[in-house]
Amino acid sequence: MRKPDLRKRMVFAGIFLLLFVTEAFIALYVRDRFIRPYVGDMLVVVLLYFFIRVLFPEGLKRLPLWIFLFAVAVEVSQYFQLASLLGVEHIPAARMILGATFDLKDIACYAAGCLILAWAQRRAGRKEWETDYDI
C-alpha cells in the first residue's frame, strides 16, 4: 500500500469514527423533533460515504448516488417490513440496521446528505476525490 493511500484511509477512518460517535450520541441522547429525525438521517449517508472511502481511498464515480440508492432501498424494505418478514424484528441490531418504519421524509434527508456529498466531492476536485473506476 502506498503511503498516500494509507494517509487518505486514516483521514477517512477518523472522519468515519467521528461521525459514528456523533450518530451514536444522537441515537442515545437526543430526543427532539429536528436533530434526531432529520440531521441523524442526513448524517447516516455521510457516515456510509466515509466508511466506503476507507475501503476505496481513491474514490468511486457517483458514490453519493450509489449511497442514495442503497439508502432508498433500505427505506423501501421498511415499507414492506423486511425485518418482520425475516423474523428478526426482535433483534435490536437487526432492527437498527433494517429499520422499522417507512417515511418519505427519511428519503428527503438521505437525498440532502447525498447532495451535500456530491457538492463537496465536486468542489474538492475530481482528481482528489475520485478515480476512473466506473461504478
Side-chain angles (χ1 to χ4, degrees):
M1 184 181 321
R2 297 183 337 236
K3 196 165 186 108
D5 283 349
L6 181 60
R7 187 181 333 220
K8 282 183 180 182
R9 287 178 197 268
M10 295 304 288
V11 169
F12 292 135
I15 295 170
F16 168 78
L17 289 173
L18 179 65
L19 289 169
F20 184 81
V21 168
T22 302
E23 281 283 352
F25 179 82
I26 289 171
L28 294 172
Y29 300 110
V30 177
R31 302 279 183 249
D32 70 344
R33 294 184 191 174
F34 182 74
I35 300 292
R36 184 175 176 136
Y38 300 113
V39 175
D41 283 346
M42 190 179 74
L43 281 179
V44 77
V45 294
V46 179
L47 176 78
L48 280 171
Y49 177 88
F50 283 102
F51 176 74
I52 293 169
R53 289 306 303 268
V54 170
L55 302 174
F56 299 96
E58 295 303 317
L60 300 170
K61 280 188 177 182
R62 296 179 283 283
L63 183 56
L65 172 65
W66 293 113
I67 290 173
F68 175 71
L69 293 175
F70 173 76
V72 169
V74 170
E75 196 67 28
V76 168
S77 77
Q78 292 171 9
Y79 178 80
F80 292 106
Q81 299 178 350
L82 181 63
S84 294
L85 291 173
L86 296 174
V88 295
E89 71 275 5
H90 63 283
I91 301 171
R95 192 169 163 83
M96 181 185 75
I97 292 167
L98 295 174
T101 57
F102 173 82
D103 191 348
L104 284 174
K105 290 180 266 183
D106 290 350
I107 294 174
C109 291
Y110 303 147
C114 288
L115 286 172
I116 290 168
L117 285 170
W119 172 81
Q121 187 169 299
R122 183 167 296 269
R123 185 162 166 88
R126 288 185 173 264
K127 290 182 181 172
E128 176 64 26
W129 283 70
E130 59 184 51
T131 63
D132 291 331
Y133 299 127
D134 198 21
I135 300 176

